[in-house]
Amino acid sequence: MTATREALIRRQQILANFGELVLRSNDLQEILQEGCRLVAEALGTDLAKILEIDRGDGTALVRAGVGWHDDVVGKVRLPLTEHSSESYAIAEGRPVVTQDIAEEMRFEFPSFMKEHGVAAIVNAPIFLPGGLAFGLLQVDERTPRAFDEEDVEFLRTYCMVLGPVIDRLQTAARLGESDERFRLIVEHALDHAIILSDLDDRITGWFPGAAAIFGWDEEEMLGQPVASIFTPEDQASDAPRWEIERAREAGAAPNVRWHLAKDGRRVFLDGQTILLRDATGQAIGFLKIAQDITERKRAEERQSMLQAELQHRVRNVLAMIASIVDRADISGTAEALRDTLSGRIASLARTQVLLTRGVNAGVSLAELIRDELLPLSSGKHTITIEGPPVSLAAKPAEVLTLAIHELTTNALKYGALNNRDGSIAVTWQLQGADEQEWLSLEWRESGLVLQPEVPRREGFGTQLITRRVPYELKGSGEIKLLAEGLWCSIRFPLKPGDSVLQTNIPQRDRTNSER
């Protein structure tokens, strides 16, 4: 009786020691290994082990143990067949004792146990909270032994302590793995802004992606309102508050908008703001997670601009061609009409090639003049093209192209290019007027001896220069026939403009005549 009392006290001390270990250690392997040692000590044997079930292949791994050879713990797997004592104990849900395996007819035992001289065994199943079996605690004896009721109850109690401990540590391990994965994700997802905020929407977590996208570091942003990364116009419209209110009501709110970075840049984010709740369902804050798609957004805008520009330009070219055809002189031969129209359309086409190099591409004034004038000269005439670098927007480029083409065609038919002593000087300069920069271009032909002739009707070229330049370009155009040759002046303000060459000019100016 005294020995039994001492054994019970000793076992209580062992349970207490195990409890202290559990409180100070978060290492599951250490706890299982020490648990085996303490159990073996409590039951007075030198062999004990813990088996962990692997549901994937229907085996149980010797996860921890004392008294076994080095090639057993962590390496040996026991098959959980219908003839194994382990399967039977788990199915019964209680410890199962085999006093002498030599006489046991119900079960088959692994060879490694026989090699270690095991004669008696008790299997105690370990269940996690919820009833899922983790594995078994096995105590082995090298001589036949009738494990009594106190032995079995001690093991059963020990397993009841082990189950919650294993579950806690496995859960902690999973959370640790999850936290590590989350850490790796947020540290490497530099194209995603991940921001945590409290219920007042003040920043409590500013992760590396947010720092990379916005430029502020964590110290600068903790405690700041999330609204500080919204654009001024969105702040003025109270967009941050509406986004948070929608997240409160619906659990999440879309966050697809432009935001403001530290250096003043604007970044476009595509994501959402999510309401965070604790385990009881109480709201505790917000998570804003969004991908930086600034480049994609800008590419989409550029694509949209290109499409709009293309549509715009096609309409404009067709309208201009219609205008050219409408103003063509039909009093001559079909061949003459064809040549005239072909030259004007080709001239317009050359300008379009230059304009379609990119969105809002400019056209070099000097290049435009050379393309129109030099190919039609014979190389025997003196031609001067001189002026500062000027890049023309679409509308003035289209008007000037046709104007230079008409002046060149006229010079070829009637002027300097039709006279071996003729010369042409095209010069321009930039002037300030009305707080704007103006282009002043002059075309001067000389070396001619002009003969009196019957005045011709005002043609397409004259109309273009004297009427369309003022109308289209808000400038002035003038043509004079001097004693030494033709003189032309074109002036207009240089300012960015689209490529619309308006065709709604008053009807009185739509004269079908050729210069």
Side-chain angles (χ1 to χ4, degrees), residues 339-350:
D339 291 344
T340 299
L341 292 177
S342 178
R344 290 171 179 171
I345 293 173
S347 175
L348 188 62
R350 285 192 293 273

Side-chain angles (χ1 to χ4, degrees), residues 223-490:
Q224 297 296 321
V226 174
S228 62
I229 65 174
F230 281 65
T231 62
E233 52 268 32
D234 279 344
Q235 293 184 43
S237 66
D238 217 11
R241 183 177 68 83
W242 287 111
E243 186 174 297
I244 287 301
E245 289 302 318
R246 183 170 179 182
R248 288 181 192 274
E249 295 173 2
N255 176 42
V256 184
R257 64 180 73 248
W258 288 100
H259 293 73
L260 195 65
K262 182 178 181 179
D263 59 4
R265 290 178 301 108
R266 296 205 172 196
V267 291
F268 196 88
L269 300 185
D270 184 356
Q272 57 182 332
T273 296
I274 303 167
L275 179 66
L276 299 178
R277 299 183 182 274
D278 61 16
T280 66
Q282 185 72 25
I284 58 174
F286 300 94
L287 166 68
K288 182 187 289 288
I289 179 168
Q291 184 179 14
D292 179 8
I293 60 167
T294 304
E295 290 305 314
R296 189 175 80 191
K297 182 67 174 178
R298 295 197 186 282
E300 290 173 352
E301 290 179 345
R302 285 193 294 270
Q303 182 66 24
S304 178
M305 189 181 301
L306 283 170
Q307 290 177 344
E309 176 73 10
L310 178 60
Q311 293 172 354
H312 201 57
R313 201 172 296 285
V314 168
R315 289 195 300 268
N316 174 62
V317 169
L318 292 176
M320 190 62 204
I321 291 173
S323 177
I324 290 172
V325 173
D326 186 40
R327 290 178 172 83
D329 182 8
I330 59 175
S331 62
T333 66
E335 183 179 0
L337 176 62
R338 182 197 63 192
D339 291 344
T340 299
L341 292 177
S342 178
R344 290 171 179 171
I345 293 173
S347 175
L348 188 62
R350 285 192 293 273
T351 303
Q352 297 307 312
V353 170
L354 297 175
L355 287 171
T356 53
R357 291 175 299 182
V359 176
N360 292 328
V363 175
S364 166
L365 174 59
E367 184 178 353
L368 181 153
I369 294 171
R370 290 191 186 98
D371 286 350
E372 292 297 328
L373 179 56
L374 296 184
L376 294 181
S377 67
S378 63
K380 299 177 182 180
H381 303 90
T382 301
I383 296 178
T384 302
I385 300 174
E386 186 176 11
V390 174
S391 180
L392 298 173
K395 183 186 289 187
E398 291 167 343
V399 174
L400 274 187
T401 293
L402 288 174
I404 298 298
H405 174 76
E406 293 302 311
L407 289 170
T408 301
T409 302
N410 182 77
L412 187 63
K413 290 181 178 180
Y414 312 111
L417 298 182
N418 192 37
N419 188 305
R420 65 179 183 178
D421 296 324
S423 64
I424 297 176
V426 185
T427 59
W428 64 90
Q429 57 184 325
L430 299 176
Q431 300 173 337
D434 301 328
E435 299 183 353
Q436 280 187 304
E437 192 172 48
W438 281 58
L439 173 68
S440 178
L441 182 144
E442 183 177 275
W443 171 289
R444 183 180 294 273
E445 299 179 28
S446 59
L448 304 181
V449 178
L450 298 178
Q451 301 296 326
E453 59 179 89
V454 178
R456 294 187 300 272
R457 293 181 299 173
E458 186 180 76
F460 176 77
T462 302
Q463 273 194 8
L464 182 73
I465 293 169
T466 61
R467 301 190 184 189
R468 282 191 167 272
V469 168
Y471 184 77
E472 300 281 359
L473 305 183
K474 311 303 179 188
S476 63
E478 185 178 2
I479 292 179
K480 290 183 180 179
L481 195 60
L482 305 178
E484 65 273 16
L486 185 140
W487 172 86
C488 173
S489 171
I490 297 175

Side-chain angles (χ1 to χ4, degrees), residues 48-60:
K49 59 184 177 293
I50 290 179
L51 304 177
E52 180 180 4
I53 296 173
D54 185 341
R55 289 175 176 78
D57 61 5
T59 64

Side-chain angles (χ1 to χ4, degrees), residues 85-94 125 127:
S85 60
E86 293 81 13
S87 296
Y88 184 77
I90 292 171
E92 290 292 314
R94 59 180 177 81
F127 291 100

Side-chain angles (χ1 to χ4, degrees), residues 66-284:
V66 293
W68 305 96
H69 296 162
D70 293 341
D71 59 352
V72 174
V73 176
K75 299 175 182 178
V76 171
R77 290 182 176 272
L78 282 65
L80 297 178
T81 66
E82 58 181 345
H83 299 297
S84 70
S85 60
E86 293 81 13
S87 296
Y88 184 77
I90 292 171
E92 290 292 314
R94 59 180 177 81
V96 175
V97 176
T98 296
Q99 297 184 14
D100 187 349
I101 64 174
E103 298 179 359
E104 178 63 72
M105 303 301 293
R106 296 173 299 174
F107 312 120
E108 297 175 352
F109 297 93
S111 58
F112 83 93
M113 293 174 62
K114 296 176 181 178
E115 292 170 359
H116 282 76
V118 173
I121 182 174
V122 57
N123 280 302
I126 303 170
F127 291 100
L128 304 176
L132 181 66
F134 168 80
L136 302 106
L137 170 60
Q138 290 185 341
V139 177
D140 305 277
E141 181 64 74
R142 298 182 192 274
T143 59
R145 174 174 174 176
F147 291 97
D148 59 24
E149 186 176 351
E150 290 179 354
D151 295 334
V152 170
E153 285 303 310
F154 171 75
L155 290 176
R156 182 168 170 269
T157 301
Y158 206 83
C159 288
M160 291 177 66
V161 174
L162 266 175
V165 171
I166 292 171
D167 182 64
R168 176 178 67 82
L169 293 179
Q170 285 185 329
T171 301
R174 287 193 296 269
L175 289 174
E177 292 173 357
S178 178
D179 289 345
E180 178 64 13
R181 286 194 296 271
F182 179 75
R183 183 188 67 80
L184 291 173
I185 290 171
V186 299
E187 285 186 358
H188 290 86
L190 298 182
D191 62 342
H192 282 73
I194 303 175
I195 304 168
L196 293 175
S197 60
D198 60 20
L199 289 175
D200 294 324
D201 208 26
R202 292 196 170 271
I203 296 171
T204 59
W206 184 261
F207 294 97
I213 292 171
F214 291 104
W216 288 288
D217 59 32
E218 186 178 27
E219 291 182 359
E220 292 177 288
M221 295 306 291
L222 291 181
Q224 297 296 321
V226 174
S228 62
I229 65 174
F230 281 65
T231 62
E233 52 268 32
D234 279 344
Q235 293 184 43
S237 66
D238 217 11
R241 183 177 68 83
W242 287 111
E243 186 174 297
I244 287 301
E245 289 302 318
R246 183 170 179 182
R248 288 181 192 274
E249 295 173 2
N255 176 42
V256 184
R257 64 180 73 248
W258 288 100
H259 293 73
L260 195 65
K262 182 178 181 179
D263 59 4
R265 290 178 301 108
R266 296 205 172 196
V267 291
F268 196 88
L269 300 185
D270 184 356
Q272 57 182 332
T273 296
I274 303 167
L275 179 66
L276 299 178
R277 299 183 182 274
D278 61 16
T280 66
Q282 185 72 25
I284 58 174

